[in-house]
Amino acid sequence: MNILVIAEHNNQQLSSATYNTITAALQLGSTDIHLLVAGHECAPVAQQAVKINGVSTVLVADFSAYQHFLAENIAPLIRDIAQTHYSHILAPASTNGKDVLPRAAALLDIEPISEITSIISANTFTRPIYAGNAIATVTTNAPIIAMTVRGTAFDSALTSEENVATIETISIQHDKQLSSFVNEALSLADRPDLGSAKVVISGGRGMQNGENFALLEKIADKLDAAIGASRAAVDAGYVANDLQVGQTGKIVAPDLYIAVGISGAIQHLAGMKDSKIIVAINKDEEAPIFQIADYGLVGDLFEILPEIEQRL
């Protein structure tokens, strides 16, 4: 049983979600995992990939049209590679993965399974539905099983200098010219990335305005934490939408999640309830967030946050 994992990268470095997806592939019981690195001038990515435990072959498709991972070009590449050799195709449940994998599945005439969170058997998986309020168990009899993997549900695959996978060059080139890359705006910050941070402190509507997020920033600096926000805070214009945690934002599962002034709407809980330790600070003792919190502190956040900072 060969498994194909679609690598996500920036042509220089693998994303953390790729490592989580490889762990999911390993749980399927295969000893022959192939990692597809499609990009342009992406040799550094291939050199990282060969050291990941469990990866036996790294397939490198280096072509200018693959540089920005446009789905119209990558999907037929996956189809051509996967249609005869693989039982499973896995991709991170990221923006790119959700864009590319359904298209590749359509070309292969199979149905994709989105955002799996656990593997029961080679053809049975669990995935959240109803904003994470229920977990569906899904079984498929498709000849090739294609699925996106929620990275926060799986540990990161380990690397070893002793593991040296084989590198194979893929000469297939697709340039459909159906879409084109225009530009990208990267947000640069000194803090850890929200999606992979071990500690996250998030603010909600209770912060009252964007200036008050400075109270969170002071604590985040001492905890080496990422800053997040609820959708209510983002919609109110307190912070940028790339900080949103929740069903329509980023899914996070840090070691420690601190929710400040967040009531705990279903959509927000769907994005952070897998965190290992959840701390809630809210003046409303009936707030839903306290139902899933490991530790709850009822009180005025404008008094509590300065005290926490001082004690830290």
Side-chain angles (χ1 to χ4, degrees):
M1 181 173 68
N2 295 344
I3 295 175
L4 180 66
V5 175
I6 312 303
E8 184 168 281
H9 58 89
N10 60 2
N11 293 298
Q12 295 297 316
Q13 189 170 8
L14 281 169
S15 72
S16 59
T18 300
Y19 290 85
N20 303 116
T21 305
I22 291 171
T23 295
L26 288 168
Q27 290 184 12
L28 288 167
S30 173
T31 57
D32 203 1
I33 295 174
H34 296 185
L35 185 67
L36 173 61
V37 176
H40 183 49
E41 298 180 351
C42 52
V45 179
Q47 292 304 317
Q48 293 174 40
V50 296
K51 298 178 182 179
I52 302 175
N53 291 342
V55 174
S56 61
T57 304
V58 177
L59 308 175
V60 180
D62 196 322
F63 179 47
S64 58
Y66 299 153
Q67 180 174 2
H68 300 292
F69 216 75
L70 298 178
E72 291 82 358
N73 299 330
I74 300 296
L77 170 67
I78 295 172
R79 175 202 58 197
D80 293 347
I81 294 173
Q83 58 189 349
T84 57
H85 302 296
Y86 297 98
S87 61
H88 296 73
I89 308 171
L90 281 68
S94 60
T95 302
N96 285 331
K98 293 175 182 178
D99 190 23
V100 169
L101 198 72
R103 296 170 188 260
L107 294 175
L108 290 165
D109 195 25
I110 56 176
E111 72 279 7
I113 302 173
S114 60
E115 293 208 49
I116 67 160
T117 53
S118 70
I119 296 171
I120 298 175
S121 69
N123 70 337
T124 304
F125 317 94
T126 63
R127 61 178 302 272
I129 59 175
Y130 303 132
N133 279 295
I135 301 297
T137 300
V138 181
T139 298
T140 177
N141 293 319
I144 303 174
I145 299 174
M147 52 193 175
T148 58
V149 176
R150 180 174 286 190
T152 55
F154 296 88
D155 293 333
S156 178
L158 301 177
T159 60
S160 171
E161 294 294 333
E162 297 177 356
N163 187 79
V164 181
T166 302
I167 295 180
E168 293 185 9
T169 300
I170 301 296
S171 58
I172 302 170
Q173 297 182 351
H174 288 284
D175 186 2
K176 301 296 185 180
Q177 298 184 356
L178 296 173
S179 63
S180 61
F181 176 80
V182 178
N183 61 33
E184 63 183 354
L186 301 178
S187 57
L188 301 177
D190 295 331
R191 295 192 181 88
D193 176 70
L194 180 58
S196 58
K198 293 185 177 180
V199 181
V200 174
I201 180 167
S202 291
R205 192 192 302 274
M207 298 301 296
Q208 297 184 0
N209 58 56
E211 288 74 18
N212 288 332
F213 267 75
L215 295 171
L216 301 184
E217 292 171 359
K218 293 177 181 178
I219 295 175
D221 289 340
K222 295 191 175 183
L223 294 176
D224 192 27
I227 297 287
S230 68
R231 178 169 182 171
V234 170
D235 288 348
Y238 298 169
V239 293
N241 60 9
D242 60 343
L243 299 184
Q244 181 179 327
V245 173
Q247 182 186 15
T248 54
K250 293 185 178 179
I251 308 296
V252 301
D255 293 339
L256 172 62
Y257 187 88
I258 305 173
V260 182
I262 295 175
S263 63
I266 291 172
Q267 292 81 0
H268 186 76
L269 300 185
M272 46 66 72
K273 67 179 183 179
D274 290 329
S275 304
K276 293 181 176 61
I277 297 292
I278 299 173
V279 175
I281 300 173
N282 201 297
K283 66 180 180 181
D284 179 10
E285 61 183 16
E286 301 297 327
I289 191 73
F290 287 122
Q291 295 178 15
I292 68 163
D294 298 284
Y295 300 93
L297 186 56
V298 178
D300 185 346
L301 66 89
F302 297 106
E303 296 177 0
I304 293 171
L305 291 180
E307 185 174 352
I308 289 177
E309 182 201 352
Q310 182 182 7
R311 297 203 177 200
L312 286 173

